[in-house]
Amino acid sequence: MGQERLLERANEKFEQYSFSPAIDIYKKVLDKGYVSAEVLKKLGNAYYFNADYKEAAAIFERLVKEFPENVEEEEFFKYAQSLKSLGDYDASQKVMDQFLEMTSGDRRALNLDRARDYMAEIRKNSGRYTISDFPQNTEYSEFAPSFYEQGLIFASDRDTGNLAKYRHTWNSKDFLDLYEIKGEIKKGVGVVKLGDNINTRLHESTSITTKDGNIMYFTRNNVVEGKYAKDAEGFIRLKIFRAKRIDGQWLEIEDLPFNSDAYSVAHPALSPDEKTLYFASDMPGSIGASDIFMVTINDDGTFGAPENLGPNINTEARETFPFVTANETLYFSSDGHPGLGGLDIFGTKIKRKDFTGNVMNVGEPANSNKDDFTYIIDEETKEGFFASNREGGLGNDDIYAFVENEPLIFDCVQKITGTVRDKISNMVLVGATVKVLNEDNEELTTTFTDSNGEYSLVLDCNQGNFVRALMEGYTPFEEYIGVSDGKPKIIDFYLERDQVTAGYGDDLAKLLQLSTIYFAFDKYDITKRSEIEIQKVIAAMEKYPSLKIKVNAHTDSRGPAAYNLWLSQKRAEATVAYMIAKGIAADRLSSEGYGETRPLNECVDGVRCSAEKHDVNRRSEFIIQE
């Protein structure tokens, strides 16, 4: 027979046997009562990726009940998602709780109360600032800078001589005034007190003005008819006042309606559209010693009801001195979030009033082991100011100027790279899709493999993600990545064909991805463990009655060569006998033992090899015959 005819016949056979190892084979094996964790996983995944959630849920349920020690995170997730898709939300949540328990080890890595390495996070954001002195610092206290027209407004007790050591508490008794720097800030030209309507014999501190400079919100001691007003415990609380600039003077100063004699409201900040006022308070509904709140400013100048920003931002300790940038980044000071000591400065994105984003320490040198607070920044120029009582200052509190050289990294970004290959041939798959999905099965990003079968993507490592590889003609596969430290990770995918087409000379052991057919030492009896693997071959032969197989058995090089040859022949014959006993006609089967004569690696007589390398040569082949 000529070469062309042989090739033609081989192609005919190649197209003749086509089956799905994921469903056709594994379902038939399972229906016969041969069950293992691997079979259930394969079948459950096949149903899941084909959106047959009813069958997927049933198979994953069996997996969890019969092989609980073999269930991995991905199976719990897919089981929960399958139940959710069927509308069984209660059962889905119970399974999802098990999934979250399994992934809690990853979450501990980035959670302070579970040994989170927060110092590594602080170091990551450190070194981004160039710090310089503020020309207007004195031996007294200067703090609370705020942008005003071309200059600044800041608070100081320079004219009263009362050091502001109480300025972090709600019962500040020292006399602070507000000052304006006119002209170029760095030169400190034209520093003047604001008018008497703003500055009184009482305490005024933090302030914010509208962009047009016509409305100011500022903090002042609680006062009634020119006298301090104390709460039930004898403390003088703080309030926010609003003033209007009319003909160059601050007039119509009013006490905001959500102020109280019983608690403090202080440190105002405005949203970019100036329709929301942020502030600090210990009002009812606070989580800690002081929380950050927001309140809507209505078009007619009235206010809505104050709202707490929630537990992602507020802690049981102090959150205070908010500032909101043009791009809606909220900066504030806290001694409740992990820091370097005292109050540290933190940032978080709050676009669309979403207060669930990562709260990030801005790092050194803006933060120190002392109190660091009243941070402001112009995102366009990258210039800003903050105050600190750190060592080396002129007074109790000093203002520092800075330039931000690199942006604050809010998100934990992890780079994932790898290749996508055919599991059988090891060929790279060009144009394969690689997706990132969150734990709610929502697609976050998609990329494709290049001409080398390689892909690259980034994901948010502050949450659990699934990286899924897909290719037409292949069964999808995914890997779960829990919360991590953001270090780059390589994930190579080996996809199985959803339809395996086989022909003359192909090894069904490879096409079906059979596990090793194990025999007891020095024995040739079929073990329970190996029955399941052989049943997969039987399933393929039952589907295609014309399929003929030759069973080849191989040993490793350990032991005498003649004995290995005899033993391998016995094992090949035992495999054939088992298949005949299960209903496969004898004329469709043949066998041969090769002993140690056909190794797949260098492990021959006289060569020292590990047990793992020897195991590669201990194999059974199921070769398709003409």
Side-chain angles (χ1 to χ4, degrees):
M1 184 180 296
Q3 185 68 28
E4 291 183 3
R5 179 56 183 156
L6 283 174
L7 182 60
E8 183 180 340
R9 288 194 61 185
N11 288 338
E12 289 174 359
K13 291 289 186 180
F14 191 82
E15 296 295 330
Q16 188 172 353
Y17 308 121
S18 180
F19 48 83
S20 170
I23 295 180
D24 291 354
I25 301 301
Y26 290 101
K27 187 175 185 303
K28 197 159 190 177
V29 170
L30 194 62
D31 289 344
K32 287 185 175 184
Y34 295 93
V35 61
S36 69
E38 183 221 7
V39 169
L40 293 173
K41 286 182 182 181
K42 290 270 190 179
L43 194 52
N45 278 312
Y47 285 131
Y48 178 83
F49 286 123
N50 283 284
D52 189 342
Y53 297 116
K54 182 178 180 180
E55 292 292 343
I59 295 299
F60 286 134
E61 182 180 12
R62 283 195 64 180
L63 175 65
V64 170
K65 287 182 177 179
E66 298 178 30
F67 301 94
E69 69 282 358
N70 296 113
V71 185
E72 299 178 10
E73 299 163 359
E74 300 94 291
E75 279 73 45
F76 273 114
F77 174 80
K78 293 167 188 168
Y79 183 18
Q81 291 299 100
S82 298
L83 290 169
K84 186 187 293 185
S85 298
L86 297 174
D88 195 345
Y89 299 108
D90 290 340
S92 175
Q93 188 57 55
K94 289 179 181 178
V95 176
M96 187 59 75
D97 288 342
Q98 292 177 281
F99 166 76
L100 293 175
E101 285 180 14
M102 293 188 73
T103 60
S104 62
D106 291 318
R107 298 178 193 281
R108 282 196 293 267
L110 290 181
N111 192 308
L112 176 60
D113 58 6
R114 295 181 180 180
R116 176 181 177 181
D117 185 9
Y118 67 90
M119 287 303 298
E121 180 182 283
I122 293 175
R123 285 192 295 270
K124 182 173 62 177
N125 279 318
S126 293
R128 301 180 300 106
Y129 297 102
T130 300
I131 306 293
S132 60
D133 292 330
F134 182 66
Q136 289 302 312
N137 286 331
T138 68
E139 61 182 299
Y140 300 104
S141 283
E142 282 77 32
F143 69 102
S146 66
F147 296 117
Y148 177 58
E149 296 186 333
Q150 301 302 311
L152 281 182
I153 292 174
F154 66 94
S156 176
D157 63 352
R158 59 180 64 190
D159 289 341
T160 65
N162 295 318
L163 296 179
K165 64 180 180 179
Y166 299 113
R167 52 99 178 97
H168 295 319
T169 66
W170 293 123
N171 60 333
S172 185
K173 298 179 181 179
D174 45 300
F175 294 99
L176 290 162
D177 284 334
L178 290 175
Y179 294 78
E180 178 187 352
I181 299 178
K182 294 185 176 182
E184 190 176 342
I185 296 173
K186 293 181 180 178
K187 293 183 178 179
V189 177
V191 178
V192 297
K193 270 190 179 183
L194 293 185
D196 290 341
N197 291 329
I198 297 293
N199 287 321
T200 65
R201 65 182 184 85
L202 305 174
H203 165 95
E204 290 83 25
S205 61
T206 48
S207 66
I208 189 73
T209 57
T210 54
K211 295 182 183 73
D212 61 12
N214 290 329
I215 295 177
M216 176 191 293
Y217 298 88
F218 65 97
T219 303
R220 177 186 282 172
N221 281 129
N222 185 16
V223 60
V224 177
E225 296 180 353
K227 295 183 179 180
Y228 287 119
K230 298 181 179 180
D231 66 10
E233 298 177 358
F235 293 142
I236 301 170
R237 296 292 183 171
L238 301 175
K239 290 184 175 182
I240 294 178
F241 291 79
R242 178 168 59 184
K244 295 180 181 178
R245 189 172 66 169
I246 302 174
D247 296 330
Q249 295 190 31
W250 293 107
L251 304 172
E252 298 184 13
I253 297 173
E254 59 179 323
D255 185 340
L256 299 190
F258 47 87
N259 288 327
S260 172
D261 294 341
Y263 52 80
S264 286
V265 176
H267 315 318
L270 284 169
S271 62
D273 62 6
E274 300 181 345
K275 294 182 179 180
T276 303
L277 182 72
Y278 295 88
F279 60 91
S281 179
D282 60 344
M283 65 173 56
S286 297
I287 297 171
S290 65
D291 284 8
I292 297 176
F293 289 78
M294 67 177 181
V295 64
T296 299
I297 305 172
N298 299 318
D299 292 340
D300 61 0
T302 59
F303 295 89
E307 299 176 56
N308 191 298
L309 297 197
N312 185 58
I313 290 174
N314 293 315
T315 70
E316 291 76 11
R318 296 177 296 173
E319 280 69 47
T320 186
F321 301 118
F323 174 77
V324 181
T325 70
N327 291 322
E328 292 188 274
T329 295
L330 169 66
Y331 289 95
F332 62 96
S333 290
S334 170
D335 58 5
H337 292 278
L340 299 174
L343 289 171
D344 269 28
I345 301 162
F346 295 84
T348 182
K349 295 179 180 179
I350 59 168
K351 282 195 173 181
R352 296 177 294 278
K353 292 186 172 58
D354 179 1
F355 304 110
T356 62
N358 300 323
V359 175
M360 308 301 292
N361 189 299
V362 303
E364 296 178 302
N367 284 325
S368 67
N369 61 350
K370 300 293 184 179
D371 289 323
D372 308 291
F373 54 101
T374 58
Y375 175 103
I376 63 173
I377 185 173
D378 182 327
E379 288 177 321
E380 186 174 341
T381 65
K382 304 299 181 183
E383 295 180 347
F385 302 87
F386 68 93
S388 178
N389 64 351
R390 64 186 62 188
E391 300 294 333
L394 289 177
N396 190 60
D397 297 317
D398 289 289
I399 294 174
Y400 294 86
F402 69 81
V403 176
E404 185 186 57
N405 303 310
E406 297 178 20
L408 176 62
I409 301 173
F410 289 101
D411 301 317
C412 178
V413 177
Q414 185 174 25
K415 186 175 183 180
I416 308 296
T417 58
T419 58
V420 181
R421 296 175 178 271
D422 183 301
K423 189 172 183 179
I424 297 172
S425 69
N426 204 42
M427 287 176 54
V428 298
L429 299 179
V430 178
T433 302
V434 183
K435 296 182 177 182
V436 177
L437 303 96
N438 63 19
E439 292 178 358
D440 292 324
N441 214 25
E442 299 168 334
E443 185 177 322
L444 302 178
T445 186
T446 299
T447 189
F448 302 93
T449 55
D450 60 18
S451 58
N452 297 315
E454 298 174 347
Y455 73 92
S456 177
L457 51 80
V458 294
L459 50 77
D460 180 359
C461 52
N462 283 309
Q463 66 179 33
N465 295 280
F466 289 85
V467 181
R468 180 181 296 176
L470 310 94
M471 184 75 175
E472 186 176 356
Y474 290 83
T475 301
F477 190 79
E478 67 185 14
E479 183 166 332
Y480 176 74
I481 302 176
V483 175
S484 73
D485 59 5
K487 293 180 180 178
K489 186 178 180 67
I490 298 174
I491 302 178
D492 293 323
F493 290 99
Y494 296 87
L495 301 186
E496 296 181 1
R497 302 172 194 172
D498 57 16
Q499 289 293 323
V500 174
T501 305
Y504 174 69
D506 283 332
D507 181 5
L508 277 185
K510 291 182 179 179
L511 298 178
L512 294 175
Q513 297 293 301
L514 300 186
S515 299
T516 303
I517 308 296
Y518 282 106
F519 297 85
F521 177 72
D522 214 24
K523 301 288 185 181
Y524 47 85
D525 299 322
I526 301 297
T527 64
K528 290 290 185 182
R529 181 179 176 184
S530 293
E531 274 191 285
I532 292 178
E533 304 306 309
I534 301 174
Q535 280 293 330
K536 297 171 189 176
V537 178
I538 293 173
M541 297 188 74
E542 288 176 341
K543 182 171 184 178
Y544 295 101
S546 64
L547 184 62
K548 295 182 179 181
I549 294 292
K550 179 187 177 188
V551 179
N552 296 336
H554 304 265
T555 68
D556 58 47
S557 60
R558 291 173 291 188
Y563 177 77
N564 285 337
L565 186 63
W566 173 83
L567 183 62
S568 64
Q569 181 62 42
K570 285 293 187 181
R571 288 176 173 176
E573 291 172 357
T575 302
V576 167
Y578 175 88
M579 298 174 73
I580 292 172
K582 297 300 181 181
I584 302 300
D587 61 358
R588 298 175 63 194
L589 296 166
S590 59
S591 63
E592 186 171 357
Y594 290 90
E596 58 184 81
T597 62
R598 295 186 177 182
L600 297 177
N601 54 30
E602 74 278 11
C603 298
V604 297
D605 286 337
V607 177
R608 293 178 61 87
C609 285
S610 64
E612 290 76 13
K613 282 195 170 185
H614 280 300
D615 286 345
V616 171
N617 294 323
R618 291 171 55 208
R619 66 195 188 278
S620 294
E621 298 169 333
F622 297 83
I623 307 300
I624 297 175
Q625 302 293 292
E626 287 190 280

